[in-house]
Amino acid sequence: MEERPDANIDYDTAIKYWSSVPATVDGVLGGFGESVVPKVDIVGSTTFLRKISPTRDSQGQPKNGLDIGAGIGRVTRDFLSRECDKVDLVEPVESFVEQAHKELASLKEKGKVGEIYQVGMQDFTPEEGKYWLIWCQWCVGHLSDDNLVEFFKRCIKGLQPGGWIVVKENNTKYEDDYDEVDSSVTRTDVKFRQIFERAGLDLKLTMLQKAMPKELYPVRMYALKPKEA
Ligand code: SAH
């Protein structure tokens, strides 16, 4: 049998790798912090969210967001805190969590940021029915296919009625690609769709991120909702 690239995934290697990276935007973006990437990323995410939820309907509930693999809180600071009433974060690396507390201090004072959970997503269970939007960006490659399916199943339980899961990740073209440096797997679009299907998620909309530097992997956004029972 062919070896699955995701069989090599090792959490300790990933944590060691990310702990050695500066707790800056440039660090979490792999050296692209000064490029167009952070700006076009936020514009692309905002456009995408407007498309899936133009009226920002939350059926009377608070629009709680959850930022998965949050790094230093870049996505929360520049995007999710504008779109949600309050955002919680999940991030396992201590130095990033410390920096996130600093980056988000004023938003926290305003009540726009809630908890920052220092834990890997494989060990995290969202509070049931809490979230309007669970945003997973540039981190799901740190879980094997099977563990990612289980993670999404827990996220489904964490959604409010009408809530969304969005996945924003690099895509490979032909096959999944294991990176031994940070112990992560970059997946094909086909693989992502199989994983969503296994988790019981319906893909409602998907778009490629525009205007990324050519030397990077294409970045794709997926808007997902639990399948109707
Ligand atoms: N989403 C952020 C950070 C991307 S960098 C942004 O776009 O700015 C990738 C992040 O995934 C790092 O912060 C890293 O520590 C985190 N990560 C690594 N392994 C993880 C795991 N098992 N669970 C959750 N996050 C993880």
Side-chain angles (χ1 to χ4, degrees):
M1 216 177 94
E2 205 183 315
E3 198 193 346
R4 274 168 56 167
D6 69 317
N8 295 311
I9 280 176
D10 169 58
Y11 298 129
D12 291 344
T13 304
I15 298 298
K16 234 192 213 153
Y17 169 77
W18 285 110
S19 299
S20 77
V21 166
T24 59
V25 169
D26 201 43
V28 293
L29 294 184
F32 281 83
E34 303 296 322
S35 73
V36 297
V37 169
K39 270 198 193 112
V40 301
D41 170 54
I42 298 303
V43 173
S45 298
T46 306
T47 308
F48 188 66
L49 189 63
R50 292 279 179 282
K51 284 199 173 153
I52 59 173
S53 200
T55 59
R56 310 179 78 217
D57 57 315
S58 65
Q59 307 189 0
Q61 302 210 49
K63 284 208 288 287
N64 296 319
L66 183 61
D67 183 355
I68 301 290
I72 61 162
R74 180 189 69 90
V75 175
T76 292
R77 186 191 65 194
D78 299 342
F79 168 58
L80 289 174
S81 61
R82 298 182 186 176
E83 305 294 334
C84 302
D85 293 326
K86 196 171 198 170
V87 186
D88 295 331
L89 293 81
V90 173
E91 167 57 47
V93 169
E94 188 175 10
S95 55
F96 288 175
V97 169
E98 278 172 14
Q99 187 60 29
H101 278 290
K102 293 183 194 154
E103 300 282 340
L104 304 174
S106 68
L107 284 166
K108 193 152 192 184
E109 256 169 44
K110 291 182 196 141
K112 300 286 293 182
V113 168
E115 301 298 323
I116 305 182
Y117 300 103
Q118 193 188 321
V119 62
M121 55 202 283
Q122 69 279 2
D123 295 321
F124 182 77
T125 302
E127 189 182 316
E128 209 163 302
K130 178 166 183 183
Y131 295 104
W132 171 67
L133 177 61
I134 301 182
W135 192 271
C136 312
Q137 178 162 357
W138 284 325
C139 61
V140 304
H142 287 294
L143 261 57
S144 67
D145 294 0
D146 292 350
N147 287 337
L148 186 54
V149 167
E150 293 310 311
F151 173 71
F152 285 142
K153 286 184 181 167
R154 294 195 300 279
C155 286
I156 288 173
K157 291 194 185 140
L159 289 178
Q160 298 173 358
W164 292 92
I165 297 172
V166 172
V167 174
K168 183 167 189 176
E169 290 289 340
N170 296 344
N171 276 181
T172 48
K173 209 163 181 182
Y174 301 112
E175 56 187 21
D176 294 357
D177 183 17
Y178 178 72
D179 180 346
E180 62 184 12
V181 175
D182 66 355
S183 189
S184 72
V185 61
T186 306
R187 297 180 165 97
T188 62
D189 179 48
V190 169
K191 171 58 76 62
F192 271 114
R193 289 168 195 248
Q194 287 169 359
I195 288 174
F196 301 148
E197 182 68 31
R198 284 177 59 199
L201 286 165
D202 252 345
L203 180 57
K204 298 292 190 185
L205 184 71
T206 177
M207 273 170 67
L208 276 175
Q209 170 66 53
K210 291 193 186 127
M212 281 294 193
K214 278 196 201 65
E215 62 268 36
L216 295 183
Y217 286 121
V219 176
R220 187 171 278 282
M221 294 171 275
Y222 302 92
L224 303 151
K225 279 203 174 195
K227 282 187 195 299
E228 305 283 340

mmCIF file of all heavy atoms in Angstrom, residues 11 18 28 69-71 74-75 91-93 96 120-122 137-139 142-143, ligand 1:
data_model
loop_
_atom_site.group_PDB
_atom_site.id
_atom_site.type_symbol
_atom_site.label_atom_id
_atom_site.label_comp_id
_atom_site.label_asym_id
_atom_site.label_seq_id
_atom_site.Cartn_x
_atom_site.Cartn_y
_atom_site.Cartn_z
ATOM 1 N N TYR A 11 3.152 16.153 16.284
ATOM 2 C CA TYR A 11 2.828 17.448 16.915
ATOM 3 C C TYR A 11 4.059 18.098 17.537
ATOM 4 O O TYR A 11 4.233 19.303 17.454
ATOM 5 C CB TYR A 11 1.750 17.270 17.984
ATOM 6 C CG TYR A 11 0.436 16.749 17.443
ATOM 7 C CD1 TYR A 11 -0.193 15.649 18.018
ATOM 8 C CD2 TYR A 11 -0.184 17.369 16.364
ATOM 9 C CE1 TYR A 11 -1.404 15.170 17.524
ATOM 10 C CE2 TYR A 11 -1.387 16.899 15.864
ATOM 11 C CZ TYR A 11 -1.992 15.790 16.448
ATOM 12 O OH TYR A 11 -3.175 15.330 15.952
ATOM 13 N N TRP A 18 7.476 25.893 15.225
ATOM 14 C CA TRP A 18 6.809 27.203 15.363
ATOM 15 C C TRP A 18 7.348 27.988 16.557
ATOM 16 O O TRP A 18 7.374 29.217 16.537
ATOM 17 C CB TRP A 18 5.288 27.037 15.449
ATOM 18 C CG TRP A 18 4.691 26.710 14.114
ATOM 19 C CD1 TRP A 18 4.145 25.521 13.722
ATOM 20 C CD2 TRP A 18 4.606 27.582 12.973
ATOM 21 N NE1 TRP A 18 3.730 25.598 12.414
ATOM 22 C CE2 TRP A 18 3.993 26.843 11.935
ATOM 23 C CE3 TRP A 18 4.984 28.900 12.722
ATOM 24 C CZ2 TRP A 18 3.750 27.388 10.657
ATOM 25 C CZ3 TRP A 18 4.753 29.447 11.452
ATOM 26 C CH2 TRP A 18 4.141 28.696 10.441
ATOM 27 N N VAL A 28 4.723 34.285 11.272
ATOM 28 C CA VAL A 28 3.585 33.377 11.024
ATOM 29 C C VAL A 28 3.259 33.281 9.538
ATOM 30 O O VAL A 28 2.628 32.314 9.103
ATOM 31 C CB VAL A 28 2.307 33.760 11.815
ATOM 32 C CG1 VAL A 28 2.514 33.569 13.310
ATOM 33 C CG2 VAL A 28 1.815 35.159 11.499
ATOM 34 N N GLY A 69 -5.696 27.959 15.203
ATOM 35 C CA GLY A 69 -4.288 28.088 14.783
ATOM 36 C C GLY A 69 -3.956 29.548 14.600
ATOM 37 O O GLY A 69 -3.420 29.986 13.583
ATOM 38 N N ALA A 70 -4.274 30.328 15.635
ATOM 39 C CA ALA A 70 -4.370 31.791 15.509
ATOM 40 C C ALA A 70 -3.026 32.496 15.451
ATOM 41 O O ALA A 70 -2.988 33.689 15.132
ATOM 42 C CB ALA A 70 -5.173 32.331 16.693
ATOM 43 N N GLY A 71 -1.933 31.796 15.756
ATOM 44 C CA GLY A 71 -0.631 32.465 15.740
ATOM 45 C C GLY A 71 -0.607 33.617 16.729
ATOM 46 O O GLY A 71 -0.984 33.476 17.885
ATOM 47 N N ARG A 74 -3.145 37.630 14.271
ATOM 48 C CA ARG A 74 -3.251 38.488 13.089
ATOM 49 C C ARG A 74 -4.665 38.487 12.486
ATOM 50 O O ARG A 74 -5.242 39.549 12.212
ATOM 51 C CB ARG A 74 -2.245 38.007 12.023
ATOM 52 C CG ARG A 74 -2.242 38.794 10.728
ATOM 53 C CD ARG A 74 -1.369 38.088 9.684
ATOM 54 N NE ARG A 74 -1.963 36.840 9.227
ATOM 55 C CZ ARG A 74 -2.786 36.736 8.182
ATOM 56 N NH1 ARG A 74 -3.099 37.804 7.480
ATOM 57 N NH2 ARG A 74 -3.286 35.568 7.834
ATOM 58 N N VAL A 75 -5.233 37.294 12.301
ATOM 59 C CA VAL A 75 -6.541 37.179 11.641
ATOM 60 C C VAL A 75 -7.641 37.799 12.511
ATOM 61 O O VAL A 75 -8.544 38.474 12.010
ATOM 62 C CB VAL A 75 -6.859 35.697 11.314
ATOM 63 C CG1 VAL A 75 -8.256 35.534 10.742
ATOM 64 C CG2 VAL A 75 -5.811 35.128 10.350
ATOM 65 N N GLU A 91 -4.471 28.398 20.012
ATOM 66 C CA GLU A 91 -3.087 28.439 19.516
ATOM 67 C C GLU A 91 -2.189 27.721 20.518
ATOM 68 O O GLU A 91 -2.171 28.079 21.690
ATOM 69 C CB GLU A 91 -2.654 29.900 19.325
ATOM 70 C CG GLU A 91 -1.162 30.100 19.105
ATOM 71 C CD GLU A 91 -0.599 29.334 17.915
ATOM 72 O OE1 GLU A 91 -1.199 29.369 16.824
ATOM 73 O OE2 GLU A 91 0.436 28.670 18.075
ATOM 74 N N PRO A 92 -1.429 26.703 20.071
ATOM 75 C CA PRO A 92 -0.652 25.901 21.030
ATOM 76 C C PRO A 92 0.703 26.474 21.435
ATOM 77 O O PRO A 92 1.258 26.063 22.453
ATOM 78 C CB PRO A 92 -0.455 24.568 20.288
ATOM 79 C CG PRO A 92 -0.505 24.923 18.839
ATOM 80 C CD PRO A 92 -1.432 26.101 18.719
ATOM 81 N N VAL A 93 1.262 27.390 20.637
ATOM 82 C CA VAL A 93 2.653 27.823 20.874
ATOM 83 C C VAL A 93 2.694 28.997 21.856
ATOM 84 O O VAL A 93 2.085 30.046 21.621
ATOM 85 C CB VAL A 93 3.338 28.177 19.541
ATOM 86 C CG1 VAL A 93 4.673 28.880 19.765
ATOM 87 C CG2 VAL A 93 3.541 26.914 18.712
ATOM 88 N N PHE A 96 3.620 32.605 20.830
ATOM 89 C CA PHE A 96 2.581 33.221 19.997
ATOM 90 C C PHE A 96 1.396 33.674 20.860
ATOM 91 O O PHE A 96 0.834 34.744 20.661
ATOM 92 C CB PHE A 96 2.098 32.246 18.916
ATOM 93 C CG PHE A 96 3.085 31.994 17.815
ATOM 94 C CD1 PHE A 96 2.814 31.051 16.823
ATOM 95 C CD2 PHE A 96 4.295 32.683 17.742
ATOM 96 C CE1 PHE A 96 3.717 30.801 15.788
ATOM 97 C CE2 PHE A 96 5.213 32.442 16.719
ATOM 98 C CZ PHE A 96 4.920 31.485 15.744
ATOM 99 N N GLY A 120 -3.460 22.624 21.218
ATOM 100 C CA GLY A 120 -3.554 22.220 19.814
ATOM 101 C C GLY A 120 -4.995 21.917 19.444
ATOM 102 O O GLY A 120 -5.789 21.506 20.300
ATOM 103 N N MET A 121 -5.354 22.116 18.200
ATOM 104 C CA MET A 121 -6.745 21.891 17.784
ATOM 105 C C MET A 121 -7.160 20.433 17.948
ATOM 106 O O MET A 121 -8.331 20.135 18.150
ATOM 107 C CB MET A 121 -6.958 22.365 16.333
ATOM 108 C CG MET A 121 -5.998 21.756 15.343
ATOM 109 S SD MET A 121 -5.827 22.748 13.831
ATOM 110 C CE MET A 121 -7.329 22.317 12.999
ATOM 111 N N GLN A 122 -6.169 19.514 17.915
ATOM 112 C CA GLN A 122 -6.487 18.087 18.112
ATOM 113 C C GLN A 122 -6.989 17.812 19.524
ATOM 114 O O GLN A 122 -7.662 16.828 19.767
ATOM 115 C CB GLN A 122 -5.257 17.211 17.793
ATOM 116 C CG GLN A 122 -4.089 17.317 18.750
ATOM 117 C CD GLN A 122 -3.193 18.529 18.513
ATOM 118 O OE1 GLN A 122 -3.451 19.346 17.643
ATOM 119 N NE2 GLN A 122 -2.137 18.655 19.305
ATOM 120 N N GLN A 137 -7.359 28.884 9.458
ATOM 121 C CA GLN A 137 -6.493 29.394 8.382
ATOM 122 C C GLN A 137 -5.043 28.985 8.585
ATOM 123 O O GLN A 137 -4.438 29.273 9.614
ATOM 124 C CB GLN A 137 -6.611 30.921 8.318
ATOM 125 C CG GLN A 137 -5.696 31.518 7.262
ATOM 126 C CD GLN A 137 -6.070 32.923 6.864
ATOM 127 O OE1 GLN A 137 -7.060 33.467 7.333
ATOM 128 N NE2 GLN A 137 -5.298 33.510 5.980
ATOM 129 N N TRP A 138 -4.479 28.377 7.567
ATOM 130 C CA TRP A 138 -3.054 28.014 7.533
ATOM 131 C C TRP A 138 -2.630 27.228 8.765
ATOM 132 O O TRP A 138 -1.597 27.516 9.368
ATOM 133 C CB TRP A 138 -2.189 29.263 7.313
ATOM 134 C CG TRP A 138 -2.210 29.743 5.897
ATOM 135 C CD1 TRP A 138 -2.284 28.975 4.772
ATOM 136 C CD2 TRP A 138 -2.172 31.112 5.436
ATOM 137 N NE1 TRP A 138 -2.300 29.776 3.647
ATOM 138 C CE2 TRP A 138 -2.215 31.069 4.024
ATOM 139 C CE3 TRP A 138 -2.090 32.350 6.073
ATOM 140 C CZ2 TRP A 138 -2.195 32.239 3.235
ATOM 141 C CZ3 TRP A 138 -2.068 33.499 5.291
ATOM 142 C CH2 TRP A 138 -2.113 33.442 3.894
ATOM 143 N N CYS A 139 -3.437 26.259 9.152
ATOM 144 C CA CYS A 139 -3.071 25.427 10.305
ATOM 145 C C CYS A 139 -3.560 23.984 10.192
ATOM 146 O O CYS A 139 -3.012 23.119 10.878
ATOM 147 C CB CYS A 139 -3.607 26.044 11.593
ATOM 148 S SG CYS A 139 -5.400 26.182 11.626
ATOM 149 N N HIS A 142 -1.521 20.628 10.062
ATOM 150 C CA HIS A 142 -0.854 20.033 11.223
ATOM 151 C C HIS A 142 -1.622 18.850 11.789
ATOM 152 O O HIS A 142 -1.189 18.257 12.782
ATOM 153 C CB HIS A 142 -0.616 21.087 12.304
ATOM 154 C CG HIS A 142 0.487 22.034 11.924
ATOM 155 N ND1 HIS A 142 1.784 21.632 11.795
ATOM 156 C CD2 HIS A 142 0.479 23.352 11.605
ATOM 157 C CE1 HIS A 142 2.541 22.658 11.436
ATOM 158 N NE2 HIS A 142 1.770 23.720 11.309
ATOM 159 N N LEU A 143 -2.768 18.531 11.216
ATOM 160 C CA LEU A 143 -3.524 17.345 11.636
ATOM 161 C C LEU A 143 -3.569 16.328 10.500
ATOM 162 O O LEU A 143 -3.672 16.705 9.329
ATOM 163 C CB LEU A 143 -4.967 17.734 12.010
ATOM 164 C CG LEU A 143 -5.239 17.911 13.512
ATOM 165 C CD1 LEU A 143 -4.319 18.943 14.122
ATOM 166 C CD2 LEU A 143 -6.685 18.305 13.747
HETATM 167 N N1 SAH B 1 -3.632 31.510 11.210
HETATM 168 C C1 SAH B 1 -2.546 32.432 11.575
HETATM 169 C C2 SAH B 1 -1.224 31.719 11.837
HETATM 170 C C3 SAH B 1 -0.714 30.873 10.696
HETATM 171 S S1 SAH B 1 0.870 30.118 11.060
HETATM 172 C C4 SAH B 1 -2.403 33.471 10.504
HETATM 173 O O1 SAH B 1 -2.895 33.250 9.393
HETATM 174 O O2 SAH B 1 -1.805 34.508 10.774
HETATM 175 C C5 SAH B 1 0.364 28.480 11.564
HETATM 176 C C6 SAH B 1 -0.090 28.409 12.989
HETATM 177 O O3 SAH B 1 -0.577 27.106 13.276
HETATM 178 C C7 SAH B 1 1.017 28.701 13.994
HETATM 179 O O4 SAH B 1 0.590 29.677 14.886
HETATM 180 C C8 SAH B 1 1.203 27.352 14.684
HETATM 181 O O5 SAH B 1 1.668 27.452 16.014
HETATM 182 C C9 SAH B 1 -0.197 26.795 14.597
HETATM 183 N N2 SAH B 1 -0.285 25.359 14.852
HETATM 184 C C10 SAH B 1 0.675 24.413 14.698
HETATM 185 N N3 SAH B 1 0.217 23.211 15.081
HETATM 186 C C11 SAH B 1 -1.068 23.392 15.500
HETATM 187 C C12 SAH B 1 -2.067 22.532 16.048
HETATM 188 N N4 SAH B 1 -1.840 21.221 16.234
HETATM 189 N N5 SAH B 1 -3.265 23.078 16.380
HETATM 190 C C13 SAH B 1 -3.508 24.382 16.204
HETATM 191 N N6 SAH B 1 -2.589 25.245 15.694
HETATM 192 C C14 SAH B 1 -1.385 24.760 15.342
#
